[in-house]
Amino acid sequence: MTSLALPAPRPRAWLTDVPLLAVAVVWGASYLAAKGVTTQSTVLAVLVLRFGIVLPVLAVAGRRALKALTAAQWRGAGTLGLILSGIFLLETYGVVHTSATNAGLIISLTMIFTPLAEAAVTRTRPSRTFLAAAATSVLGVVLLTQSGGFTTPSGGDLLMLLAAFARTVHVLFMARLKSAQGADALPMTTVQLGTAVVVFAMLCAVPGTGAAPWDAAAAFGPADWAGLLFLSVFCTLFAFFVQMWAVRRSSPSRVSLLLGTEPLWAAATGIALGGEQLGMVGLLGGALVLAGTGWGRGAAS
């Protein structure tokens, strides 16, 4: 097979890259925030609150655009919402049941799964340059998380691995789902989040699945509410709106590579706010993540 032909980098590609890197930053910080507000018994409740807070704002702001969606676009957005709900269920339960080190390392495999899945769909293969850049980034992630030490593989590790696959599916569906093409990002994001809220609320109604959203909210203190609002506004609303906007202006592989810097920002947040420390190995890993991402930007443009 021949290598995947890639167009030359666009002069203003950074206009798409900067918001994506901002998403990687807030997603990296979300690990610390989620651990601060979520327990085993409040996963579903926190997810309902996290998505439910921003949903009314989106619905009001995009009410005209929502009415303009066709039936096919509603179905497409609903499909993306089901995938999105699966991602958050896997990630949130995974983080609860594994170490932050393992979670950050395993979820970063999305940037390897995405170009491989994209190549399988298009029956081509990524260029050697992109694969080398991705391998450099993954090596950097390994070194970055090595300083925290590895734990014995657990059920949480498997959940994070499944979440990495789910992220890949979500990115590819956003880029290729015909019923979602041509629609504005705002109503599409609204329908996705609305679908996710319905899924989480239905699961909350099942006996034995944990605390109800109103019970969890009643027990929250100021710090819990601050963490929840950060997860809701920045890590949910901002992040997925940017991702839907950017995937139409870039390739899925490029989007995934930029978002693959998430473990680096997770470590930076841990150092600045969580009191964690990185040795020389961790610092080298962070440098490799940045180098690999920068190298891969040109290859995946």
Side-chain angles (χ1 to χ4, degrees):
M1 292 189 297
T2 59
S3 297
L4 179 64
L6 296 170
R10 301 183 307 277
R12 296 189 177 182
W14 64 272
L15 292 175
T16 302
D17 293 346
V18 169
L20 282 171
L21 283 174
V23 170
V25 172
V26 298
W27 274 356
S30 71
Y31 288 102
L32 190 62
K35 280 189 172 293
V37 300
T38 310
T39 65
Q40 164 107 19
S41 63
T42 61
V43 168
L44 291 172
V46 168
L47 287 173
V48 170
L49 293 169
R50 172 178 178 175
F51 283 74
I53 286 174
V54 298
L55 190 58
V57 177
L58 284 173
V60 171
R63 58 188 182 279
R64 292 184 179 178
L66 282 170
K67 293 179 180 179
L69 291 179
T70 65
Q73 289 171 336
W74 274 91
R75 289 193 298 270
T79 299
L80 292 172
L82 290 175
I83 299 171
L84 181 63
S85 64
I87 292 172
F88 273 91
L89 284 170
L90 291 167
E91 285 188 1
T92 308
Y93 276 112
V95 167
V96 169
H97 292 288
T98 190
S99 68
T101 297
N102 282 22
L105 173 60
I106 295 170
I107 201 66
S108 71
L109 293 176
T110 302
M111 62 182 172
I112 290 297
F113 296 156
T114 300
L116 293 178
E118 187 180 15
V121 169
T122 60
R123 297 184 180 182
T124 56
R125 65 183 180 186
S127 68
R128 293 181 179 179
T129 301
F130 180 84
L131 290 177
T136 300
S137 293
V138 170
L139 175 60
V141 169
V142 173
L143 294 178
L144 180 66
T145 57
Q146 181 74 38
S147 59
F150 292 99
T151 62
T152 303
S154 64
D157 296 327
L158 177 59
L159 291 175
M160 296 305 300
L161 181 62
L162 293 175
F165 278 112
R167 279 195 184 190
T168 297
V169 172
H170 192 254
V171 172
L172 291 178
F173 264 64
M174 282 194 295
R176 298 182 176 277
L177 196 63
K178 291 184 178 180
S179 60
Q181 294 175 359
D184 291 338
L186 177 58
M188 293 296 288
T189 301
T190 303
V191 176
Q192 284 191 73
L193 298 186
T195 302
V197 168
V198 171
V199 171
F200 301 144
M202 290 176 63
L203 291 175
C204 271
V206 178
T209 55
W214 48 86
D215 291 332
F220 279 175
D224 297 316
W225 279 109
L228 180 64
L229 289 174
F230 173 75
L231 289 171
S232 182
V233 175
F234 291 97
C235 302
T236 303
L237 177 62
F238 168 75
F240 283 96
F241 182 85
V242 168
Q243 192 179 15
M244 283 202 68
W245 169 81
V247 78
R248 298 176 183 181
R249 292 162 175 79
S250 185
S251 70
S253 296
R254 185 186 182 100
V255 170
S256 187
L257 190 66
L258 288 167
L259 295 180
T261 62
E262 178 184 332
L264 176 63
W265 307 116
T269 303
I271 292 172
L273 302 178
E276 299 177 358
Q277 295 182 352
L278 282 180
M280 291 303 298
V281 172
L283 293 174
L284 175 60
L288 287 176
V289 171
L290 290 177
T293 302
W295 184 18
R297 283 179 55 200
S301 298

